[in-house]
């Protein structure tokens, strides 16, 4: 409750700037309750005190600005700099190791899904830069994930109104399952939408695969 009072005071004094600068600083790995602030901002739009499209634009801008800054730091400074000075950004060796493990497991996709993983989203931008991921690929994952993230948490406050806190805590509790379900649903939609294109590509590849199999059998026979 104390945190909510603090967030409410921030909005009363600074309006939309709270979201932009708060989320930007969060992704530079400074303490800021980004998800709670967005959900509360969505509730303020439910009451008519703030404009929802403006909130989406400001939150998206703050998030992508923060992510881009961390990417550039990682790209220019590299891993040795982060290891040496990471403590100033609350980037402990344990968090670095955790992010590295997640990157090895999920690759570039982690940049998108990392927004929903506490203790990981703050560092995916740094690590994307450290691994010299091409900016176009980084932007595709980072900005797409950012839009989904801000829409989701602003939407909790906007859609559920006075009940936003209960829904917010439920989401925190079941986030891994919810995100996995959304990812699976998105994959199914993409497959269904492009099913004809995928079928054509598979049919084109089939003769090549059969030819490779025959050549392999021939080489074995020799």
């Amino acid at each position: 409750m104390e945190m909510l009072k603090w967030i409410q005071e921030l909005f009363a004094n600074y309006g939309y700037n709270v979201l932009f600068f708060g989320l930007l600083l969060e992704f530079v790995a400074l303490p800021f309750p980004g998800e709670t602030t967005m959900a509360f901002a969505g509730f303020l739009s439910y009451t008519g005190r703030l404009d929802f499209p403006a909130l989406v634009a400001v939150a998206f801008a703050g998030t992508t600005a923060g992510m881009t800054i961390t990417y550039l730091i990682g790209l220019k400074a590299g891993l040795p700099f982060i290891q040496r000075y990471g403590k100033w950004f609350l980037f402990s060796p344990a968090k670095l190791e955790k992010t590295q493990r997640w990157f090895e497991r999920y690759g570039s996709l982690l940049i998108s899904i990392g927004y929903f993983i506490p203790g990981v989203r703050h560092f995916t931008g740094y690590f994307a830069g450290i691994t010299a991921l091409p900016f176009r690929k980084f932007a595709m994952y980072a900005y797409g994930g950012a839009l989904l993230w801000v829409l989701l948490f602003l939407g909790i406050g906007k859609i559920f109104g006075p009940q936003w806190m209960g829904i917010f805590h439920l989401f925190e509790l079941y986030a891994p399952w919810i995100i996995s379900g959304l990812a699976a649903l998105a994959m199914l939609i993409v497959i269904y939408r492009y099913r004809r294109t995928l079928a054509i590509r598979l049919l084109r590849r089939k003769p090549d695969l059969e030819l490779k199999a025959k050549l392999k059998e021939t080489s074995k026979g020799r």
Side-chain angles (χ1 to χ4, degrees), residues 129-216:
I130 289 168
T131 58
L133 187 72
F135 181 78
R136 183 178 294 182
K137 192 172 183 180
F138 162 77
M140 180 179 69
Y141 284 105
Y143 298 171
L147 183 60
L148 178 61
W149 189 61
V150 301
L151 282 172
L152 178 62
F153 283 97
L154 287 170
I156 286 174
K158 174 68 173 178
I159 294 169
F160 295 99
Q163 286 77 42
W164 74 267
M165 286 187 67
I167 301 299
F168 179 80
H169 289 307
L170 279 174
F171 184 86
E172 281 188 320
L173 186 61
Y174 298 106
W177 291 273
I178 294 171
I179 297 306
S180 298
L182 290 173
L185 179 62
M187 189 177 294
L188 288 172
I189 291 171
V190 170
I191 291 171
Y192 178 78
R193 183 173 180 179
Y194 296 101
R195 63 191 184 280
R196 292 181 180 176
T197 305
L198 291 170
I200 291 169
R201 288 184 179 179
L202 286 171
L203 289 171
R204 285 177 180 174
R205 287 189 63 188
K206 189 176 179 181
D208 293 336
L209 292 172
E210 289 175 350
L211 179 60
K212 286 179 181 178
K214 287 178 181 179
L215 290 171
K216 191 175 181 180

Side-chain angles (χ1 to χ4, degrees), residues 98-150:
K98 180 180 180 181
T99 306
Q100 187 172 2
R101 287 200 309 269
W102 279 88
F103 241 99
E104 289 171 354
R105 186 174 181 181
Y106 293 104
S108 301
L109 182 61
L110 179 65
I111 300 169
S112 291
I113 65 174
Y115 287 101
F116 304 93
I117 306 172
V120 170
R121 68 172 172 269
H122 309 92
F123 310 116
T124 53
Y126 288 110
F127 214 85
I130 289 168
T131 58
L133 187 72
F135 181 78
R136 183 178 294 182
K137 192 172 183 180
F138 162 77
M140 180 179 69
Y141 284 105
Y143 298 171
L147 183 60
L148 178 61
W149 189 61
V150 301

